């Protein structure tokens, strides 16, 4: 017992100033998330300039496959990292190593199963996700792009899950570095495969999968040879108790991605079904895809701040240092809100310049893209508060509240608002659903956080 207390008090997570500690953990997490978002944007830029709007539409249709994959990887990675942080805070390193082995085995096995199922039913799934047939449809491009992305699923899933484990073990720079290496590889290979080899969307997919493989290999080598906790053969067989803990802690974050997947599918279908004068459904889908990628940059930074906050809160919660938990949350909310407001201002002030980067020059499409960006991203300023609050409840072990905040915006509000508003105002209604859901989510999250804060002050 004395040894455990000494270990906890000697850990920088328990003693280092919180501002410095949050910067230390958040910057690598932000950079790793930002790198991931940016190399998705780089894909869109090269595809837009090398293939055209149908290529961007194809990647937008493929996005639900990616978010399903990400939801599973998030379940394993976040669930495993929260449980690992708590075990390390309590001095239980053996249990932390068992968790690492379980996360690795499940990520690879589920990744392979996911690939097989999606490839078997690829065409009907693509059509259900918003692909359209015909000479001017996106289906043929989806069938070129998606199979290659799906073949990389086991590597992508392992990389995402193991990067979360690396952060929990006090190695946020590694989590950043592995994705940075992948991003550089993707950035180099994209123009070669798309323009030099003339492989189109297939080239973009091959470049993406190659980068994912490298990221997974880097993390695997680290946990085999250098990690604070190691990946050992005796721990690779999953156990039900650990799986239960991983699923319990990871489910709220997983539900975010599940909700995003449902939202993306419904959004794609709604946009394709709406008719607009001067803008075809595929061009509208392409514009929406660009806007979503741009917003993902701001969201990724906020998620990175929240992920940097997570091991600090998880450790101090496990160690019983409630005052450090509260202060960490406040600092993370402040940082994420500043980022959200800056991102919102850029999108509102410079939409045309952003769209031109993606090769969008046709006047009607540019006009719709500007309108799409200014309206649908009007609530972007509230993103940081929403993301950090959900992650705070997760790291503090309050899974139900974390899940509520996770699915509130994309699933409980956005999906029904899309159908209600589009039925009244058409395409404009789809655009206005976004900021409406953002504002309502922020108000509900603020009420929940305020209520809990008052309860703690009263000692209830």
């Amino acid at each position: 017992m004395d040894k455990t207390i000494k270990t906890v008090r000697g850990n920088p997570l328990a003693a280092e100033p919180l501002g410095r500690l949050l910067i230390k953990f958040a910057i690598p997490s932000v950079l790793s998330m930002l790198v991931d978002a940016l190399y998705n944007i780089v894909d869109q830029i090269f595809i837009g300039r090398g293939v055209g709007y149908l290529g961007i539409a194809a990647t937008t249709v493929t996005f639900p496959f990616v978010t399903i994959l990400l939801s599973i990887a998030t379940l394993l990675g976040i669930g495993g990292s929260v449980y690992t942080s708590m075990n390390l805070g309590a001095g239980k390193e053996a249990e932390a190593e068992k968790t690492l082995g379980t996360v690795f085995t499940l990520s690879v096995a589920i990744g392979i199963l996911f690939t097989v199922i999606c490839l078997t039913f690829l065409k009907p799934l693509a059509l259900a996700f918003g692909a359209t047939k015909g000479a001017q449809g996106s289906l043929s491009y989806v069938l070129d792009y998606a199979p290659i992305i799906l073949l990389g699923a086991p590597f992508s899933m392992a990389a995402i899950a193991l990067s979360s484990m690396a952060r929990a073990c006090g190695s946020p720079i590694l989590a950043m570095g592995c994705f940075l290496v992948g991003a550089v590889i993707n950035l180099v290979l994209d123009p070669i495969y798309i323009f030099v080899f003339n492989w189109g969307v297939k080239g973009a997919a091959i470049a993406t999968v190659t980068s994912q493989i490298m990221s997974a290999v880097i993390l695997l080598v680290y946990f085999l040879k250098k990690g604070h906790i190691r990946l050992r053969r005796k721990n690779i067989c999953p156990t039900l108790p650990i799986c239960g803990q991983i699923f319990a802690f990871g489910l709220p974050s997983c539900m975010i991605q599940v909700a995003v997947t449902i939202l993306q599918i419904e959004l794609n279908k709604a946009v394709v079904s709406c008719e607009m004068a001067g803008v075809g459904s595929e061009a509208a889908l392409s514009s929406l895809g660009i806007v979503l990628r741009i917003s993902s940059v701001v969201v990724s930074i906020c998620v990175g701040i929240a992920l940097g906050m997570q091991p600090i809160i998880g450790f101090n919660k496990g160690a019983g240092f409630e005052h450090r938990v509260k202060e960490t949350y406040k600092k993370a909310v402040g940082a994420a809100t500043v980022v959200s407001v800056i991102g919102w201002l850029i999108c509102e002030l410079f939409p045309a310049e952003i769209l031109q980067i993606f090769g969008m020059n046709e006047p009607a499409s540019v006009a719709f893209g500007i309108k799409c960006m200014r309206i649908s991203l009007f609530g972007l300023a509230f993103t940081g508060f929403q993301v950090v609050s959900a992650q705070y409840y997760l790291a503090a072990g309050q899974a139900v509240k974390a899940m509520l905040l996770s699915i509130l915006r994309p699933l409980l509000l956005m999906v029904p608002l899309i159908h209600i508003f589009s039925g009244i105002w058409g395409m404009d209604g789809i655009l206005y659903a976004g900021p409406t859901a953002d504002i309502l989510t922020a108000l509900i999250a603020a009420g929940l956080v305020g209520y809990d804060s008052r309860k703690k002050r009263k000692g209830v």
Side-chain angles (χ1 to χ4, degrees):
M1 182 67 175
D2 291 340
K3 183 179 178 181
T4 298
I5 293 173
K6 183 178 179 181
T7 301
V8 170
R9 288 179 176 172
N11 194 302
L13 289 170
E16 194 168 322
L18 290 172
R20 186 189 309 163
L21 199 60
L22 184 60
I23 291 173
K24 177 182 175 181
F25 276 82
I27 288 180
S29 298
V30 166
L31 290 176
S32 63
M33 295 298 299
L34 187 58
V35 163
D36 188 50
L38 287 176
Y39 84 65
N40 283 328
I41 286 180
V42 167
D43 266 350
Q44 299 299 298
I45 292 173
F46 285 123
I47 289 172
R49 292 183 173 274
V51 180
Y53 71 89
L54 285 175
I56 295 179
T59 62
T60 304
V61 171
T62 305
F63 191 61
F65 289 109
V66 177
T67 53
I68 293 171
L69 182 154
L70 187 57
S71 69
I72 302 170
T74 301
L75 170 69
L76 299 174
I78 298 298
S81 67
V82 170
Y83 188 51
T84 297
S85 293
M86 290 183 170
N87 279 310
L88 291 175
K92 300 177 181 178
E93 290 194 7
E95 186 74 0
E97 287 198 341
K98 291 178 182 178
T99 304
L100 172 63
T102 298
V103 167
F104 172 73
T105 301
L106 290 178
S107 63
V108 174
I110 296 175
I112 294 172
L113 181 63
F114 177 79
T115 298
V116 172
I117 292 173
C118 290
L119 288 178
T120 302
F121 303 101
L122 180 58
K123 188 172 181 178
L125 285 172
L127 292 171
F129 292 168
T132 53
K133 298 179 180 179
Q136 294 300 314
S138 61
L139 181 60
S140 62
Y141 291 87
V142 174
L143 296 180
D144 282 341
Y145 183 78
I148 300 171
I149 294 295
L150 291 171
L151 287 173
F155 302 99
S156 176
M157 198 170 292
I160 294 168
L162 291 179
S163 68
S164 292
M165 295 299 291
R167 280 190 291 268
C169 297
S171 300
I173 294 177
L174 172 70
M176 173 195 69
C178 69
F179 284 107
L180 181 60
V181 170
V184 171
I185 291 173
N186 191 63
L187 182 63
V188 171
L189 294 181
D190 255 339
I192 295 174
Y193 290 167
I194 294 175
F195 298 109
V196 179
F197 292 170
N198 199 29
W199 288 350
V201 291
K202 288 183 179 179
I206 294 171
T208 297
V209 171
T210 303
S211 67
Q212 291 167 347
I213 292 173
M214 289 303 301
S215 296
V217 169
I218 291 170
L219 286 161
L220 181 59
V221 170
Y222 169 78
F223 279 116
L224 285 171
K225 297 185 177 182
K226 296 182 179 181
H228 176 65
I229 60 173
R230 299 291 180 86
L231 184 60
R232 306 181 193 277
R233 184 178 299 179
K234 65 179 181 179
N235 294 326
I236 62 173
C237 184
T239 62
L240 286 178
I242 292 179
C243 287
Q245 293 292 336
I246 291 172
F247 292 158
F249 287 120
L251 190 59
S253 293
C254 171
M255 289 304 298
I256 296 177
Q257 298 303 327
V258 171
V260 168
T261 302
I262 296 172
L263 171 60
Q264 182 70 54
I265 294 170
E266 293 302 313
L267 196 54
N268 288 353
K269 288 160 45 175
V271 169
V272 170
S273 65
C274 282
E275 295 185 3
M276 286 187 61
V279 180
S281 60
E282 296 297 339
L285 194 62
S286 176
S287 296
L288 185 65
I290 292 172
V291 170
L292 291 175
R293 294 303 191 281
I294 294 300
S295 67
S296 73
V297 174
V298 175
V299 173
S300 294
I301 297 174
C302 295
V303 170
I305 293 171
L307 290 176
M309 172 194 72
Q310 181 268 318
I312 304 171
I313 286 183
F315 185 95
N316 284 282
K317 189 73 175 177
F321 302 148
E322 288 292 337
H323 65 287
R324 290 178 65 83
V325 171
K326 181 179 179 180
E327 287 303 313
T328 301
Y329 169 71
K330 287 182 177 179
K331 292 179 183 298
V333 166
T337 300
V338 169
V339 169
S340 299
V341 171
I342 292 173
W344 169 72
L345 286 173
I346 292 173
C347 291
E348 293 295 317
L349 295 175
F350 308 106
E353 291 79 2
I354 293 172
L355 292 170
Q356 288 173 2
I357 296 173
F358 293 85
M360 185 173 286
N361 297 310
E362 201 278 323
S365 296
V366 171
F368 173 74
I370 292 173
K371 181 179 181 179
C372 183
M373 188 171 293
R374 282 182 168 158
I375 296 176
S376 63
L377 298 184
F378 186 77
L380 191 62
F382 302 102
T383 297
F385 175 66
Q386 298 168 24
V387 170
V388 171
S389 296
Q391 189 66 30
Y392 161 75
Y393 281 118
L394 174 62
Q398 301 184 51
V400 174
K401 292 175 182 177
M403 185 181 296
L404 173 63
L405 291 182
S406 299
I407 66 174
L408 183 59
R409 191 262 182 190
L411 186 60
L412 301 182
L413 292 175
M414 187 77 172
V415 170
L417 286 174
I418 286 173
H419 292 288
I420 294 170
F421 286 7
S422 65
I424 301 173
W425 299 298
M427 184 66 75
D428 285 352
I430 295 175
L431 302 183
Y432 281 108
T436 304
D438 285 325
I439 294 171
L440 289 174
T441 301
L443 290 173
I444 293 171
L448 184 60
V449 172
Y451 174 75
D452 287 342
S453 180
R454 288 191 297 272
K455 278 180 60 179
K456 287 182 179 180
R457 285 199 300 268
K458 293 177 180 179
V460 178

